[in-house]
Amino acid sequence: MSTHDLARGHASATLSEASGLPVALTPEIRSLWSGARLCGPAFTVQGAGGDNLALHHAVLQAPPGSVLVADLGGARFGHWGEILTVAALHRGIAGLLIDGGVRDAAETEALGFPVFSRNNSILGTRKDFPGVLGRPVGVGGRTVHTGDLVVGDVDGVVALPASDTERILDRADARVAHENDLMKQLREGRSTLDLYNHFDAARR
């Protein structure tokens, strides 16, 4: 199974609504390049703002297919760039979610590596703090654990608890099927008010 298949192809918005849980990260966490899609189990990284040594260690330690999920305190430094991207691709890492800054957007897009970050910055970093790997981290206003399913796209990012992922995916399947039925009825001439008034009446 590819990492893309882990979310059954569902969008972040669908997963957020299907979960019934506060799984959506703050909207300030955005894709570094247009069209990027992030999907895979989290491998968590606690680093320090302005220092990227933890990310170098994480690239070596994370299992293939993992999404690195790094707390850098939202710091405006270029913690990640082209060199780490090439290293991560060689190790089979699926992407990066970082509460902090990154750089080399054009090069990262050319390599097709999905990165979701709080900001972009050309400021350089030091390499002093080796970081803590595998422990829960705070990213985008949510606590993420290693093994949680991370999905990011043009609408935003969600982190689904590993213990609840299958339930959420099943609910997402049902939600998409329901929405497809709604869209079929709209194409047949029904209005949105007709449909939603009907559902409201059914609930009363």
Side-chain angles (χ1 to χ4, degrees), residues 58-132:
V59 166
L60 288 175
Q61 296 297 322
S66 298
V67 171
L68 300 183
V69 179
D71 177 11
L72 276 297
R76 292 179 174 275
F77 290 84
H79 300 98
W80 184 278
E82 184 179 14
I83 288 175
L84 275 169
T85 296
V86 170
L89 285 168
H90 179 71
R91 302 285 299 182
I93 291 170
L96 171 70
L97 167 61
I98 180 171
D99 203 327
V102 296
R103 61 196 290 177
D104 298 343
E107 293 84 355
T108 303
E109 179 179 8
L111 290 164
F113 186 75
V115 171
F116 285 67
S117 63
R118 185 176 287 273
N119 52 70
N120 299 0
S121 175
I122 59 173
L123 295 179
T125 57
R126 59 190 185 277
K127 293 177 174 59
D128 297 323
F129 178 57
V132 180

Side-chain angles (χ1 to χ4, degrees), residues 4 12 30-39 94-96 108-109 112-117 151-157:
H4 180 82
S12 62
R30 307 300 300 174
S31 57
L32 180 63
W33 49 273
S34 178
R37 176 175 168 85
L38 192 66
C39 183
L96 171 70
T108 303
E109 179 179 8
F113 186 75
V115 171
F116 285 67
S117 63
V151 180
D153 54 33
V154 67
D155 289 322
V157 185

